[in-house]
Amino acid sequence: MTKWVYGFGGGSADGDASMKNLLGGKGANLAEMSSLGLPVPPGFTITTEACVHYYSNGQSYPADLADQVKAGLAQVEGIVGKTFGDASNPLLVSVRSGARASMPGMMDTVLNLGLNDRTVEGLAALSGDRRFAFDSYRRFITMYSNVVLGLSHDDFEEVLDDHKDRLGVTVDTDLSAGDWEKVVGDYKRVVEDRLGSPFPQDPHDQLWGAVGAVFASWMNDRAKFYRRMHDIPESWGTAVNVQSMVFGNMGETSATGVAFTRNPSTGEAKLYGEFLINAQGEDVVAGIRTPQSLTKAGREEMGETKPSMEEAMPKVFAQFVDVVGRLEAHYRDMQDIEFTVEQGRLWMLQTRNGKRTAKSALKIAVDLAAEGVISQEEAVSRVEPSALDQLLHPTLDPNAERKVVAAGLPASPGAATGKVTFDADEAERLAEHGEAVILVREETSPEDIHGMHAARGIVTARGGMTSHAAVVARGMGRPCVSGAGEIHIDEKAQTFTARGRTFKAGEVITIDGSKGEVMEGAVPMIEPELTGDFQTLMAWADQVRRLKVRANAETPLDARTARGFGAEGIGLCRTEHMFFDDTRIAAVREMILADDEAGRRQALAKIAPFQKADFVELFTIMTGLPVTVRLLDPPLHEFIPHTEAEIDALAASQGLDAGKLKKRARDLHETNPMLGHRGCRLGVAYPEIYEMQVRAVLEAALEVKASSGTAPIPEIMHPLVAMGPEMKFLRELTDRVAEAVFAEAGDRVEYLVGTMIELPRAALRAGDLAQHAQFFSFGTNDLTQTTFGISRDDSGRFLQAYLDKGIFEADPFVRLDQDGVGDLIKIAAERGRAERADVKLGICGEHGGDPASIAFCEGAGLDYVSCSPYRVPIARLAAAQAALVARGGEAREKDR
């Protein structure tokens, strides 16, 4: 019989932390904390396998799940001495999601489940606090109605606001027991009015409704979006955790909070977090009330007046400090912890490896290694490579003028400038049109995830450092200012007002998430300095990685940037980009218009000095390192204007024959130019083009060798080769020109001749190519296009449907298709090496900067990856992690 339910609590558990795939991260850690003897409210976990069964069988539960849940409830009842559904001694539970990868706020939760018109009276009698009981009941009705019954929070907020207005109060804690009874009555009427049936009273019906809602939330829009963003497979499913309730809303000796054992923004080794007295957990994470600091030092640093937990609850705080210290030592990593204090008694509700910024991740990893808690290799495995992108971009110039218009909490570091927008959908729409936007909200909710991702930065008027906006922004690497209470938002007018200044939607602001400031206009930025922990960790990474990392670069700026980021050469220099410069495009067009070879050579002679100068500059920057030069690749028609009006204007400005230019444009027109007269086909049809480029490359190499004393290492790459005879022709052309250049110069440089593998035939017949090619560079952009028969430029029209329906787990132009395109790469590598054992193998498509694709390259035995300059550090770290995994080292955890 399959075990679908695993219990925990009372000092023991059926599972442990190693069972994250089955129990989800939350369930596995609740089991682990229980076994450690920590104060964990008892409960049970319904496994991720039950969720998979649910979706694989028409959204139905396994046949024996109900009996196992009944047994799990009975075990909890035995530990706490209460009975689920009993009118006089009721057990109440929370029902929470818990995927194996942390997805904060993306799925649903129901608290206080088990309350009805009878059990609320029992809870009031047991607690001796009628106000608390009905406060809990109104919370349950709101949450259950929203999560399970599909009603809007707004329906209930309107009712509560009306009661507050009638009573003349502003905060929930001012309402009495009698007030909450009236609110509950009105809430139930809202449910019956909207649904035509009363609010569910049977606790068992409530429980199964909540379980179904949690499973269903695995497939809600925000969860799907988050999974795509963080590469979490849909097939994993989520667990469901049913846990006995403990109450932080039982008066002044009760509280709830969230803590990090180290600062998630900076990595500083200090307890960091917030709490609220007389509240439940949702009040903290939802940003509904602005919480208080945990520590006295944190309160003083933030300039808060309300007492910290350290001051308000010193005995419980001392116990809490001991527990969180034990948890960090046990897990050997910074922990994100949720807790509740019920009438002076501490309860631990969750622990997990905390979301953190890249800066924080680096510091924590390096510090833990320095403390001897983890090894240097473990430190390398602890940092998400893609997170480094946060560190590689400009920050605000400290000397620039700042017109601060509002201040809040420094929720997520970094800086951003953009146009104000108040709507997540609008933020996404504007971003798709290339606009930089700042999302300004009263508070964010999980439904805003797509807009937060699209925005350059986020500002909220309410919420603390552990609110939804803060946690999600840190995980995304988006700057965020939260709890900016002086900002007053008028959504109807699409404005916000602060310090007497009104900003309309579309106006530009700048935010500094490190200081918690909102500024008027655009503030100048400066380039980052990558020192300290970054350099330390990258040095450790370089010690363990096998793959070399090069950059795709053809401009001096890109080459210098790449070298500064640690690139070990250029893996792709696209020479056609050099042809579009204003100083040489005229000669290119003259070549295209030429009637014969002599005319083309005459025009090419004008281009040659520019080409040589380009290569001299690149070779100088990359002295001593390999530079792969791809010869002309695009079809010639790309160098000619497309419309008749543009051709007429060009002809008039440059003294060309408009009629001849139009005729040539018609002659060059192709129905499918990506599969037309381009790449090496140009070199075969017009050898003089490639002869000029080869000569320019080698003359430049000789000049740099003479001036610097160190020869560059040019690798001459012929694109779009499909057949052995093509490669033979091109190799002979290259070698013939090289010998002529060396004879003229009386000197030589070493060089390689190779091809870009971007056609399935080239991969399948790699042995033929390797007879003449000394290296293969896999152009995975085009290889993906030709393998799938999908245009990268046009696939956006339908690719999302494939992702939504689970046909693609990831965009194949972002994440390498390892089954199809990957097989072709492996075949080419095997057959190429069988013919030429020392053939050099690399990848230069956009996949060269994707960590999962880099892991594939390590497994396939490639020699190097090449990526855009700003992704070089990402590739270096990903290559190190891939090497550690390949040799059985510490694999980085998926839920970081």
Side-chain angles (χ1 to χ4, degrees), residues 120-135:
V120 70
E121 297 291 350
L123 182 63
L126 279 175
S127 65
D129 188 342
R130 193 171 186 82
R131 185 203 170 281
F132 148 72
F134 278 88
D135 175 34

mmCIF file of all heavy atoms in Angstrom, residues 120-135:
data_model
loop_
_atom_site.group_PDB
_atom_site.id
_atom_site.type_symbol
_atom_site.label_atom_id
_atom_site.label_comp_id
_atom_site.label_asym_id
_atom_site.label_seq_id
_atom_site.Cartn_x
_atom_site.Cartn_y
_atom_site.Cartn_z
ATOM 1 N N VAL A 120 -16.780 27.555 17.480
ATOM 2 C CA VAL A 120 -16.294 28.876 17.900
ATOM 3 C C VAL A 120 -16.672 29.148 19.351
ATOM 4 O O VAL A 120 -15.924 29.786 20.100
ATOM 5 C CB VAL A 120 -16.814 29.997 16.964
ATOM 6 C CG1 VAL A 120 -18.321 30.232 17.133
ATOM 7 C CG2 VAL A 120 -16.053 31.295 17.201
ATOM 8 N N GLU A 121 -17.828 28.621 19.749
ATOM 9 C CA GLU A 121 -18.228 28.780 21.154
ATOM 10 C C GLU A 121 -17.326 27.943 22.058
ATOM 11 O O GLU A 121 -16.960 28.373 23.151
ATOM 12 C CB GLU A 121 -19.695 28.369 21.335
ATOM 13 C CG GLU A 121 -20.691 29.240 20.568
ATOM 14 C CD GLU A 121 -20.791 30.655 21.129
ATOM 15 O OE1 GLU A 121 -20.238 30.930 22.224
ATOM 16 O OE2 GLU A 121 -21.407 31.507 20.460
ATOM 17 N N GLY A 122 -16.966 26.746 21.576
ATOM 18 C CA GLY A 122 -16.053 25.913 22.356
ATOM 19 C C GLY A 122 -14.691 26.565 22.493
ATOM 20 O O GLY A 122 -14.066 26.522 23.571
ATOM 21 N N LEU A 123 -14.198 27.172 21.406
ATOM 22 C CA LEU A 123 -12.905 27.860 21.452
ATOM 23 C C LEU A 123 -12.957 29.041 22.407
ATOM 24 O O LEU A 123 -12.003 29.285 23.171
ATOM 25 C CB LEU A 123 -12.525 28.339 20.039
ATOM 26 C CG LEU A 123 -11.179 29.049 19.907
ATOM 27 C CD1 LEU A 123 -10.030 28.108 20.257
ATOM 28 C CD2 LEU A 123 -10.990 29.603 18.490
ATOM 29 N N ALA A 124 -14.094 29.751 22.421
ATOM 30 C CA ALA A 124 -14.246 30.889 23.331
ATOM 31 C C ALA A 124 -14.201 30.423 24.782
ATOM 32 O O ALA A 124 -13.553 31.051 25.639
ATOM 33 C CB ALA A 124 -15.553 31.620 23.037
ATOM 34 N N ALA A 125 -14.870 29.323 25.048
ATOM 35 C CA ALA A 125 -14.901 28.818 26.430
ATOM 36 C C ALA A 125 -13.539 28.292 26.858
ATOM 37 O O ALA A 125 -13.076 28.557 27.983
ATOM 38 C CB ALA A 125 -15.958 27.717 26.531
ATOM 39 N N LEU A 126 -12.869 27.540 25.979
ATOM 40 C CA LEU A 126 -11.557 26.982 26.299
ATOM 41 C C LEU A 126 -10.530 28.076 26.556
ATOM 42 O O LEU A 126 -9.713 27.991 27.473
ATOM 43 C CB LEU A 126 -11.064 26.090 25.163
ATOM 44 C CG LEU A 126 -11.599 24.651 25.100
ATOM 45 C CD1 LEU A 126 -11.089 23.978 23.830
ATOM 46 C CD2 LEU A 126 -11.133 23.860 26.326
ATOM 47 N N SER A 127 -10.538 29.092 25.726
ATOM 48 C CA SER A 127 -9.530 30.153 25.813
ATOM 49 C C SER A 127 -9.881 31.193 26.855
ATOM 50 O O SER A 127 -9.009 31.943 27.319
ATOM 51 C CB SER A 127 -9.364 30.829 24.454
ATOM 52 O OG SER A 127 -10.573 31.498 24.085
ATOM 53 N N GLY A 128 -11.187 31.266 27.197
ATOM 54 C CA GLY A 128 -11.631 32.326 28.091
ATOM 55 C C GLY A 128 -11.576 33.686 27.432
ATOM 56 O O GLY A 128 -11.548 34.715 28.117
ATOM 57 N N ASP A 129 -11.560 33.691 26.102
ATOM 58 C CA ASP A 129 -11.419 34.952 25.375
ATOM 59 C C ASP A 129 -12.336 34.926 24.157
ATOM 60 O O ASP A 129 -11.988 34.423 23.101
ATOM 61 C CB ASP A 129 -9.960 35.141 24.942
ATOM 62 C CG ASP A 129 -9.696 36.521 24.343
ATOM 63 O OD1 ASP A 129 -10.663 37.206 23.950
ATOM 64 O OD2 ASP A 129 -8.505 36.894 24.230
ATOM 65 N N ARG A 130 -13.538 35.443 24.337
ATOM 66 C CA ARG A 130 -14.529 35.415 23.262
ATOM 67 C C ARG A 130 -14.092 36.271 22.078
ATOM 68 O O ARG A 130 -14.344 35.934 20.916
ATOM 69 C CB ARG A 130 -15.873 35.898 23.809
ATOM 70 C CG ARG A 130 -17.049 35.635 22.891
ATOM 71 C CD ARG A 130 -18.377 35.936 23.588
ATOM 72 N NE ARG A 130 -19.485 35.547 22.729
ATOM 73 C CZ ARG A 130 -19.959 34.308 22.606
ATOM 74 N NH1 ARG A 130 -19.412 33.332 23.331
ATOM 75 N NH2 ARG A 130 -20.963 34.041 21.791
ATOM 76 N N ARG A 131 -13.417 37.347 22.356
ATOM 77 C CA ARG A 131 -12.954 38.225 21.271
ATOM 78 C C ARG A 131 -11.981 37.478 20.354
ATOM 79 O O ARG A 131 -12.068 37.542 19.118
ATOM 80 C CB ARG A 131 -12.255 39.463 21.857
ATOM 81 C CG ARG A 131 -11.866 40.466 20.800
ATOM 82 C CD ARG A 131 -10.742 41.393 21.221
ATOM 83 N NE ARG A 131 -10.316 42.142 20.051
ATOM 84 C CZ ARG A 131 -9.509 41.656 19.103
ATOM 85 N NH1 ARG A 131 -9.053 40.420 19.187
ATOM 86 N NH2 ARG A 131 -9.190 42.396 18.057
ATOM 87 N N PHE A 132 -11.037 36.783 20.968
ATOM 88 C CA PHE A 132 -10.066 36.008 20.194
ATOM 89 C C PHE A 132 -10.768 34.963 19.320
ATOM 90 O O PHE A 132 -10.427 34.766 18.146
ATOM 91 C CB PHE A 132 -9.078 35.336 21.146
ATOM 92 C CG PHE A 132 -8.549 34.019 20.675
ATOM 93 C CD1 PHE A 132 -7.645 33.942 19.623
ATOM 94 C CD2 PHE A 132 -8.986 32.829 21.265
ATOM 95 C CE1 PHE A 132 -7.173 32.710 19.173
ATOM 96 C CE2 PHE A 132 -8.516 31.606 20.822
ATOM 97 C CZ PHE A 132 -7.611 31.535 19.777
ATOM 98 N N ALA A 133 -11.772 34.265 19.890
ATOM 99 C CA ALA A 133 -12.444 33.192 19.157
ATOM 100 C C ALA A 133 -13.138 33.733 17.914
ATOM 101 O O ALA A 133 -13.020 33.149 16.820
ATOM 102 C CB ALA A 133 -13.448 32.486 20.074
ATOM 103 N N PHE A 134 -13.837 34.834 18.044
ATOM 104 C CA PHE A 134 -14.568 35.359 16.885
ATOM 105 C C PHE A 134 -13.644 36.104 15.913
ATOM 106 O O PHE A 134 -13.936 36.160 14.709
ATOM 107 C CB PHE A 134 -15.741 36.229 17.344
ATOM 108 C CG PHE A 134 -16.944 35.415 17.709
ATOM 109 C CD1 PHE A 134 -17.115 34.930 18.998
ATOM 110 C CD2 PHE A 134 -17.883 35.078 16.739
ATOM 111 C CE1 PHE A 134 -18.209 34.143 19.325
ATOM 112 C CE2 PHE A 134 -18.974 34.292 17.053
ATOM 113 C CZ PHE A 134 -19.149 33.811 18.353
ATOM 114 N N ASP A 135 -12.542 36.627 16.411
ATOM 115 C CA ASP A 135 -11.521 37.179 15.500
ATOM 116 C C ASP A 135 -10.964 36.055 14.619
ATOM 117 O O ASP A 135 -10.788 36.207 13.406
ATOM 118 C CB ASP A 135 -10.398 37.826 16.320
ATOM 119 C CG ASP A 135 -9.231 38.309 15.468
ATOM 120 O OD1 ASP A 135 -9.461 38.751 14.332
ATOM 121 O OD2 ASP A 135 -8.082 38.229 15.945
#
